[in-house]
C-alpha cells in the first residue's frame, strides 16, 4: 500500500536560514503524483506543487524549491531565506490509483512537519 | 469568488448526538472529499465522492455517513457510533478523479464533543 513518511515532526529555525523538509514515499505503481501542501494556523490547506513520477526535474519557485529523486523515493522541499510567514505545517502527499476501489484515485498524506520560523 | 465553504467553523455537541457538517463548492468540481485531522496526525480520508449520487468509503469511514445529492454539496454526518469524534474536519474538491488534479480545501470545521 502507498505510504508517505515525513520524519521531521517539528523544525524551528531563525529567520533567513534555509530549511529542508523531508518526504519519503512508498508505492508499487509506476504512475503516481506527489504534492506538497501548506497549512497555516488558519487551518486551510494551500496547494504548493504537483510532480508526476516521470518528471524528475527539480523545480524552483521563488524561495521554494523541490528535489524529486525516484532512486531514493524522496520528494524534499527547501525554503531558502525563511521568513516568519513561512511558519506552518507542511504536508507531503501521494496520489495513486486504488485498484481495490475500481481504479479510483486517493490522496495519501504524511503526518506533516511543523515549521516555526523565529524572528 | 469560487471556492469551498464549510460551516460552521466551530461546532460543539453533546456526546451521543449526531451532527452534520456542511461542505459546499462552486468550482463545478466532480470529486469531493472529507478528511479528519487529529493533532500531530496527517489527514485521514473518511469518504469521497467522484460523481453525484455515488460515494466510497475512505480509510476511517466507521461512525460517519455522507450524501451527494447535488454536485456542489457533500455533507458529512458524524454519528453517535463514532467513538472519538472530536477533531478538525476538512472538506476538499477536485475537478475529477484524474490522478494529477490537486485538491482544493475548505477552511475546516473544528468539532468538539462534550
Amino acid at each position: 500500500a502507498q505510504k508517505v513518511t515525513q520524519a521531521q515532526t517539528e523544525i524551528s529555525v531563525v529567520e533567513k536560514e534555509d530549511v529542508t523538509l523531508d518526504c519519503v514515499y512508498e508505492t508499487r505503481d509506476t504512475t503516481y503524483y506527489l504534492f506538497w501542501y501548506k497549512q497555516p494556523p488558519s487551518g486551510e490547506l494551500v496547494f504548493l506543487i504537483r510532480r508526476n513520477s516521470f518528471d524528475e526535474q527539480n523545480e524552483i519557485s521563488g524561495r521554494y524549491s523541490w528535489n524529486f529523486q525516484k532512486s531514493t523515493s524522496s520528494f524534499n522541499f527547501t525554503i531558502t531565506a525563511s521568513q516568519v510567514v513561512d511558519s506552518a505545517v507542511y504536508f507531503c502527499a501521494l496520489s495513486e490509483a486504488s485498484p481495490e476501489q475500481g481504479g479510483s484515485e486517493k490522496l495519501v498524506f504524511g503526518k506533516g512537519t511543523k515549521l516555526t520560523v523565529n524572528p | 469568488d469560487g471556492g469551498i465553504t464549510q460551516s460552521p467553523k466551530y461546532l460543539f455537541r453533546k456526546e451521543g448526538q449526531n451532527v452534520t457538517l456542511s461542505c459546499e463548492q462552486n468550482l463545478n468540481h466532480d470529486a469531493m472529499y472529507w478528511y479528519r485531522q487529529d493533532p500531530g496526525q496527517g489527514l485521514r480520508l473518511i469518504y469521497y465522492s467522484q460523481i453525484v449520487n455515488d460515494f466510497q468509503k475512505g480509510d476511517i469511514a466507521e461512525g460517519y455517513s455522507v450524501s451527494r445529492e447535488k454536485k456542489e454539496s457533500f455533507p458529512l454526518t458524524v454519528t453517535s457510533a463514532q467513538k472519538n469524534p472530536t477533531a478538525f474536519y476538512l472538506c476538499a474538491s477536485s475537478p475529477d478523479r484524474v490522478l494529477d488534479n490537486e485538491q482544493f480545501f475548505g477552511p475546516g470545521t473544528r468539532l468538539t464533543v462534550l
Side-chain angles (χ1 to χ4, degrees), chain B residues 90-109:
Chain B
L90 284 157
C91 179
S93 71
S94 64
D96 57 36
R97 53 174 283 184
V98 177
L99 270 177
D100 65 341
N101 282 309
E102 75 264 25
Q103 294 180 12
F104 296 78
F105 285 81
T109 292

Side-chain angles (χ1 to χ4, degrees), chain B residues 8 16 22 35 42 46 48 67 69 97 112:
Chain B
S22 166
Y35 293 91
I46 305 173
Y48 61 107
S67 63
E69 296 175 1
R97 53 174 283 184
T112 302

Side-chain angles (χ1 to χ4, degrees), chain A residues 7-19:
Chain A
Q8 304 149 307
T9 306
E10 292 193 41
I11 299 176
S12 183
V13 299
V14 176
E15 207 169 16
K16 296 185 184 175
E17 279 186 38
D18 298 348
V19 58

Side-chain angles (χ1 to χ4, degrees), chain B residues 3-22:
Chain B
I4 302 176
T5 56
Q6 290 185 245
S7 60
K9 190 166 180 62
Y10 298 96
L11 190 55
F12 297 88
R13 278 295 181 267
K14 290 184 180 179
E15 195 171 341
Q17 288 182 334
N18 290 357
V19 59
T20 297
L21 281 58
S22 166

Side-chain angles (χ1 to χ4, degrees), chain A residues 31-33 35 37 39 42-45 47 50 91 95-97 101-107 109-111, chain B residues 9 35 37 40-43 45 48 50 56-57 59 88 90 97-103 105-107:
Chain A
T31 302
Y32 54 89
Y33 284 79
F35 301 79
Y37 284 87
Q39 186 179 40
S42 61
E44 185 171 338
L45 267 74
F47 166 77
R50 167 185 53 236
F91 290 98
S95 173
E96 183 187 83
Q101 296 287 352
S104 305
E105 286 78 21
K106 296 195 299 182
L107 204 57
F109 285 84
K111 292 189 176 182
Chain B
K9 190 166 180 62
Y35 293 91
Q37 185 179 18
Q41 300 291 318
L43 278 66
L45 183 64
Y48 61 107
Q50 289 161 337
Q56 289 83 39
K57 292 182 179 180
D59 301 316
F88 187 53
L90 284 157
R97 53 174 283 184
V98 177
L99 270 177
D100 65 341
N101 282 309
E102 75 264 25
Q103 294 180 12
F105 285 81

Side-chain angles (χ1 to χ4, degrees), chain B residues 1-5 24-27:
Chain B
D1 279 24
I4 302 176
T5 56
E24 304 278 330
Q25 54 100 357
N26 60 5
L27 300 167

